[in-house]
Amino acid sequence: MACAAANGSLRLFGQDTTASSRPNIIIFIADQRTYGLSKGTGYPLDTSPTLDRLQSEGVGFERNYCTAPLCVPSRVSMLTGRWTNAHHVRNNLMAGEAYFEKDIYQVAHEQGYKTALCGKNHTYLKKENVDVWREYTHTGGPHEPGSKNAEFDQYLTDAHFNVVDKPTPFPLETQLPYRIVSDAMTFIDGAGSQPFLVQVSVPEPHNPEQVPTPYWNMFPPESIPGRCAGPEKLPEVGFRMQWEYRMQQDASPQTERLWRRYLSNYMGMLRLIDDQVKRLVEHLEAKDLMKNTVVVFTSDHGDALMNFGLGHKGLDLRETVTHTPQIWFGGGIKHSAEVQRVFTSMADLMPTMCEVMGAEIPHGVQGRSLWPLLTGQSYPAEEFRSIYSSVGLGGLYYTNADNVPYSTGEDPHGASFDELNKVTLSGNQKMVRMGDWKLVYDMMGYGELFNLHSDPCELNNLFNKPEHAKEQAALMAELLMWVIRSEDSLPTGPQNKKYTTKWSKQHNWYEPYREAGPPPVAFQP
């Protein structure tokens, strides 16, 4: 099975398919960065001028979603191109359970690429899986002799993942994004004529919410736009969200009081990261590498942004935690305002990079290659009409009757609280986005239906309203299609020769194989 173009020919930049001619790839990953927080996407604060410019020159998908709104499951999806129910990793403690045939690093090595991880890992990857390993966590990374890095890393540790109410007393050069980009540039300079794939993975803007001068008060607390809802709206939502707020207040009572400072620091960190993207791009341009390098900027999930008084992520599928950026720019990529409106997933990164490298898409990959969309080729609109995400570990929801103590959320690694715990991740919810609509449905038959055009804050649940029965039925059918499609197909593939799965040879798309026209849009649950 080849990563073939629609006409069946191998899709590369040119005719030369030797390793030295193949484009370089950079995967720039932010942690907990919500989509839409820049001037170019309609936000009033200018947090990301470089990314806005790169999106205007490349392609920034406006409807991109994570496969799950927590770190490890979503990052495994990026590397393997598989949804969480297929790769088996559904919480942050399950990285070793990842199930797949090949990941993007294995494909890159087979294609003659030099590989590196610079920054946060938080997956099953080990040092021996890449050529260069420079790993960082949320509390630090490698230390150079004579630097202040060790002192700064201790400062991060002492922040206990909370919001910090004063400027960080260390220079920009000690910040993790700066150090990680420096490591990436060093790796790039040492790659020589060999094509490279490097993951530049910054742990920010994930908490602790801290930022140094000049980014401190670059967006003062009083300039922060109002939030969708404060804690006064908690009685209108489910128990798990109420419980998380009480847990957060029990462990870190200053969080709600400092909600504007939380977001001020968050926005300042977005600008700091944006400046590091600029620094990396300028380095590529100075080395004359940009024209033969494909870059994607994305995030593993978003942040609750202090809506309902909550920071972080984890317990639901709201837009702020599932809707993430995916911006492509560099060699061969053509800007298209129209293509930016399709629905995409982080699972699409892996098969897209396969096509960039001229490699076969491994068996079991469920994401779809976006390469034709990025290079101005034709594509079937129906293939990208919707997208799917999920969260939860299954079983029943914990309720007030269970009297679960807030200490359940205490983090053994030193954070004041861990929002990803047995209460917040109880149950199982799945989501589909299509058009202006969003449906969330769970194992109890409870549903949420929102029109995001008229209700972007998801405050007016229209589920089972007779006047929206048509939209609800269409979304239920779409969600069922996604759930069925994302079941694991590997057990009937190379592991069992009696069964041979038929794999798509056209960018991992389904639409070219549909014989009966568009799928039905009505479904009676």
Side-chain angles (χ1 to χ4, degrees):
M1 177 190 66
C3 274
N7 62 6
S9 61
L10 194 65
R11 177 61 186 162
L12 286 170
F13 279 75
Q15 298 300 315
D16 186 356
T17 59
T18 60
S20 61
S21 72
R22 292 176 178 173
N24 308 306
I25 298 173
I26 298 176
I27 313 165
F28 200 117
I29 305 171
D31 193 327
Q32 210 161 289
R33 197 229 194 264
T34 300
Y35 173 85
L37 300 175
S38 71
K39 279 264 190 179
T41 57
Y43 195 65
L45 304 179
D46 194 16
T47 66
S48 306
T50 299
L51 286 170
D52 283 347
R53 174 180 64 81
L54 294 170
Q55 176 166 331
S56 70
E57 298 170 358
V59 174
F61 291 107
E62 299 170 7
R63 297 175 171 184
N64 181 70
Y65 286 79
C66 61
T67 58
L70 54 164
C71 294
V72 177
S74 67
R75 288 170 181 266
V76 173
S77 290
M78 277 193 239
L79 298 182
T80 66
R82 288 158 66 79
W83 264 263
T84 57
N85 49 312
H87 65 53
H88 303 175
V89 179
R90 295 169 61 194
N91 69 33
N92 279 357
L93 305 178
M94 297 177 65
E97 303 297 318
Y99 183 68
F100 56 93
E101 182 181 83
K102 294 178 185 176
D103 66 18
I104 192 60
Y105 282 99
Q106 291 169 300
V107 173
H109 286 142
E110 290 175 355
Q111 297 301 311
Y113 277 67
K114 187 173 183 179
T115 63
L117 177 123
C118 298
K120 179 176 175 177
N121 173 22
H122 219 182
T123 72
Y124 56 83
L125 283 176
K126 306 293 184 186
K127 184 175 182 179
E128 58 268 22
N129 298 137
V130 299
D131 297 312
V132 173
W133 180 266
R134 295 283 288 180
E135 184 180 17
Y136 291 71
T137 68
H138 289 292
T139 55
H143 302 149
E144 285 70 32
S147 74
K148 288 186 173 289
N149 292 347
E151 295 177 47
F152 172 72
D153 292 356
Q154 185 60 52
Y155 173 85
L156 289 179
T157 301
D158 293 341
H160 295 296
F161 289 86
N162 285 319
V163 55
V164 179
D165 62 356
K166 56 180 68 68
T168 302
F170 291 89
L172 169 63
E173 291 75 17
T174 63
Q175 288 282 329
L176 304 186
Y178 187 97
R179 290 154 59 183
I180 289 165
V181 167
S182 296
D183 288 345
M185 293 191 302
T186 298
F187 164 76
I188 290 168
D189 291 347
S193 60
Q194 189 176 3
F196 60 80
L197 180 149
V198 55
Q199 182 181 154
V200 185
S201 184
V202 300
E204 289 81 10
H206 187 290
N207 46 294
E209 299 304 336
Q210 58 80 35
V211 70
T213 304
Y215 303 96
W216 170 266
N217 273 354
M218 183 175 282
F219 308 103
E222 59 270 21
S223 73
I224 299 298
R227 50 187 174 179
C228 287
E232 73 280 355
K233 287 283 188 179
L234 283 169
E236 301 176 20
V237 296
F239 166 77
R240 293 178 306 139
M241 192 176 291
Q242 298 168 16
W243 186 91
E244 180 178 353
Y245 178 77
R246 293 195 294 266
M247 176 194 68
Q248 173 185 288
Q249 292 304 103
D250 182 69
S252 305
Q254 77 280 16
T255 304
E256 168 58 19
R257 176 175 58 83
L258 296 174
W259 77 265
R260 285 189 178 273
R261 170 53 60 195
Y262 180 107
L263 293 177
S264 174
N265 290 1
Y266 185 98
M267 301 307 167
M269 183 55 71
L270 294 190
R271 186 61 173 263
L272 188 156
I273 293 170
D274 191 77
D275 284 347
Q276 295 312 301
V277 173
K278 179 181 180 182
R279 181 169 163 245
L280 178 60
V281 169
E282 288 177 346
H283 186 79
L284 292 169
E285 291 172 340
K287 298 289 183 178
D288 197 28
L289 291 172
M290 198 68 244
K291 61 187 177 184
N292 195 45
T293 299
V294 172
V295 186
V296 58
F297 177 92
T298 190
S299 180
D300 52 0
H301 54 78
D303 189 289
L305 300 178
M306 294 309 299
N307 286 303
F308 298 96
L310 297 172
H312 313 170
K313 75 286 182 182
L315 60 76
D316 57 25
L317 292 165
R318 290 183 176 272
E319 288 294 286
T320 58
V321 296
T322 57
H323 192 181
T324 53
Q326 187 183 148
I327 302 170
W328 294 82
F329 54 94
I333 295 175
K334 299 178 181 178
H335 179 72
S336 167
E338 176 187 351
V339 80
Q340 293 185 147
R341 295 290 293 163
V342 306
F343 285 98
T344 59
S345 169
M346 61 171 47
D348 298 332
L349 265 67
M350 194 272 193
T352 303
M353 289 183 283
C354 283
E355 285 208 334
V356 171
M357 292 186 284
E360 292 186 351
I361 298 177
H363 297 137
V365 170
Q366 299 167 328
R368 309 146 302 171
S369 173
L370 306 174
W371 192 237
L373 288 71
L374 295 170
T375 53
Q377 301 177 61
S378 61
Y379 64 93
E382 287 295 301
E383 183 74 34
F384 300 94
R385 69 175 183 264
S386 64
I387 205 63
Y388 154 71
S389 184
S390 64
V391 69
L393 295 177
L396 296 173
Y397 294 124
Y398 282 94
T399 70
N400 196 43
D402 294 303
N403 294 312
V404 181
Y406 302 138
S407 59
T408 294
E410 291 181 358
D411 187 347
H413 301 295
S416 294
F417 67 94
D418 181 6
E419 70 274 24
L420 305 177
N421 55 71
K422 73 179 186 180
V423 175
T424 58
L425 289 182
S426 61
N428 195 355
Q429 294 178 305
K430 299 187 183 299
M431 175 209 88
V432 69
R433 281 279 287 110
M434 184 165 66
D436 290 333
W437 293 86
K438 174 177 181 176
L439 173 76
V440 180
Y441 200 69
D442 73 359
M443 77 292 178
M444 303 298 291
Y446 302 151
E448 297 174 88
L449 179 67
F450 302 106
N451 184 311
L452 295 181
H453 177 73
S454 59
D455 181 23
C457 289
E458 303 167 89
L459 298 176
N460 185 20
N461 186 4
L462 303 175
F463 190 80
N464 273 350
K465 301 287 186 182
E467 61 269 32
H468 299 296
K470 181 179 178 181
E471 290 86 357
Q472 182 173 319
L475 287 158
M476 290 289 278
E478 197 75 3
L479 178 59
L480 179 60
M481 180 198 74
W482 272 108
V483 171
I484 295 171
R485 182 181 292 187
S486 61
E487 285 186 354
D488 184 20
S489 53
L490 280 180
T492 60
Q495 287 81 5
N496 192 325
K497 296 184 184 302
K498 182 178 179 180
Y499 303 99
T500 303
T501 304
K502 179 180 178 180
W503 307 97
S504 168
K505 293 186 177 182
Q506 299 187 48
H507 316 294
N508 234 31
W509 294 350
Y510 273 67
E511 193 61 30
Y513 300 90
R514 197 184 302 280
E515 297 178 357
V521 295
F523 177 74
Q524 184 63 46

